[in-house]
Amino acid sequence: MQILDGKLVSQAVKDDLRKKVETLKQKALKTPHLVAILIGTNGASETYVASKVKTCEEIGFESTLIRYEDTIDEVTLLNKIEELNADAAIDGILVQLPLPKQISEEKVINAIAAEKDVDGFHPSNIGKMVQGQPAYIPATPYGILLLLEYYKIETKGKYAVVIGRSNIVGRPMSILLSQNTTTGNCTVTLCHSHTKNLKEICLQADIIVAALGKPEFLKADMVKEGAVVIDVGITRVEDKTKKKGYTIKGDVDFEAVAPKCSYITPVPGGVGAMTIAALMKNTLLAADGK
Ligand code: GUN
């Protein structure tokens, strides 16, 4: 069993980006600039956004964090996005999800200019991705592809099972894994909460991506010997023995599943780190790839 080390690979991606930013600054006198919009005080969102801003600093990007109370109205947010769309100094815009219920996620995603949509959530980017055209790829699936690529994991002819059909992870992941590319040449089944015989389906899989947000859902008796297991889960589970009052759990019962795997991602230190590295790749592309 080998660990797919997201910390190591994301560091390699960030080191590469830092060099490219340096070159871009010298060549075009331009610094990539990412704007993150955070609404409310959801603990997990706070952590993710803080990590995105910190990573920008590490690799030499500019970043701006815009915060709103969770009582913000939709028009105020949409107006701010329009203003950022029109600002030539801004390369990438992301609005951290989830949003408060008075705000339509669909309207917000559609409002971000496709060329600044470094999350890759805009229908135009999703459409291009589906057709295999150049596009911003949602950061978590993109990060997983980078991990598969780094460890040279064979996908050609393999059977991949993705559990979870979110627009952010599961659905794009299933599409990317089925494309005729080095990191996505699989036969893919996308499973979800209404899938029958999930255990039997998982037992056939050469590659499993668990992205349903249920702590330790994937058990050892659902995984075949030698499978590659990618754990996207990062759920906070109450733990009074910890100073923070919680511990982070993945969607995979790691202790029991890991001995059966050829490769597995840990939580933390797996997919999470890759998500941010992939977002940074998209942001550099937004600044330099036009
Ligand atoms: N919430 C959870 N994951 C993400 C992400 O990748 N991007 C944004 N904007 N919000 C998220």
Side-chain angles (χ1 to χ4, degrees):
M1 183 273 293
Q2 190 178 347
I3 294 286
L4 296 171
D5 187 344
K7 262 195 188 159
L8 174 96
V9 182
S10 66
Q11 196 53 55
V13 171
K14 288 189 283 183
D15 289 344
D16 178 54
L17 284 172
R18 197 179 301 113
K19 286 185 204 136
K20 287 181 171 148
V21 173
E22 219 26 72
T23 310
L24 180 68
K25 281 182 183 171
Q26 285 164 11
K27 188 183 75 181
L29 300 174
K30 186 169 175 27
T31 304
H33 189 164
L34 175 69
V35 174
I37 300 180
L38 175 60
I39 299 164
T41 54
N42 175 291
S45 292
E46 294 255 9
T47 307
Y48 300 147
V49 170
S51 189
K52 290 170 186 180
V53 168
K54 182 166 158 269
T55 308
C56 280
E57 215 171 281
E58 272 172 40
I59 59 180
F61 288 2
E62 258 188 68
S63 69
T64 303
L65 172 58
I66 300 175
R67 299 195 65 141
Y68 290 109
E69 305 269 320
D70 60 6
T71 49
I72 185 183
D73 64 283
E74 198 173 79
V75 173
T76 306
L77 180 59
L78 293 174
N79 285 343
K80 175 50 85 177
I81 291 171
E82 217 170 281
E83 182 190 315
L84 296 167
N85 284 342
D87 184 344
I90 308 296
D91 301 294
I93 303 167
L94 72 85
V95 179
Q96 189 66 24
L97 305 177
L99 297 172
K101 56 185 176 316
Q102 75 275 16
I103 296 181
S104 153
E105 190 176 297
E106 189 179 309
K107 277 193 197 163
V108 168
I109 288 170
N110 288 356
I112 297 171
E115 66 275 13
K116 297 191 180 189
D117 165 44
V118 286
D119 262 329
F121 296 164
H122 191 281
S124 160
N125 281 314
I126 296 283
K128 286 181 181 170
M129 180 203 75
V130 170
Q131 297 196 338
Q133 296 179 33
Y136 299 116
I137 296 170
T140 299
Y142 188 14
I144 292 169
L145 295 186
L146 293 171
L147 260 186
L148 296 176
E149 187 182 23
Y150 185 93
Y151 286 94
K152 299 186 171 56
I153 290 174
E154 182 63 77
T155 63
K156 191 159 63 182
K158 302 292 180 188
Y159 180 44
V161 170
V162 178
I163 315 171
R165 56 180 158 183
S166 72
N167 286 338
I168 296 182
V169 185
R171 195 174 304 279
M173 189 78 254
S174 70
I175 292 160
L176 291 161
L177 283 172
S178 73
Q179 272 169 335
N180 192 357
T181 57
T182 315
T183 47
N185 229 335
C186 302
T187 303
V188 181
T189 297
L190 178 58
C191 298
H192 49 76
S193 49
H194 293 285
T195 299
K196 298 212 169 90
N197 307 323
L198 181 64
K199 180 176 163 185
E200 286 68 29
I201 295 169
C202 287
L203 274 169
Q204 305 292 315
D206 302 305
I207 299 171
I208 300 178
V209 179
L212 69 163
K214 286 198 177 155
E216 299 184 331
F217 176 86
L218 192 79
K219 303 290 184 198
D221 66 355
M222 300 166 79
V223 178
K224 86 171 172 189
E225 249 352 287
V228 177
V229 171
I230 309 286
D231 189 349
V232 181
I234 14 174
T235 307
R236 290 179 176 198
V237 176
E238 191 181 293
D239 183 348
K240 295 210 169 88
T241 68
K242 297 270 153 92
K243 220 162 89 184
K244 287 178 178 167
Y246 65 86
T247 177
I248 300 286
K249 293 266 184 213
D251 288 351
V252 176
D253 181 1
F254 184 89
E255 292 302 321
V257 170
K260 295 185 88 174
C261 297
S262 54
Y263 295 91
I264 186 167
T265 61
V267 175
V271 172
M274 292 308 300
T275 295
I276 297 192
L279 172 72
M280 297 297 134
K281 272 179 87 80
N282 279 345
T283 305
L284 182 69
L285 185 66
D288 193 31
K290 293 162 195 149

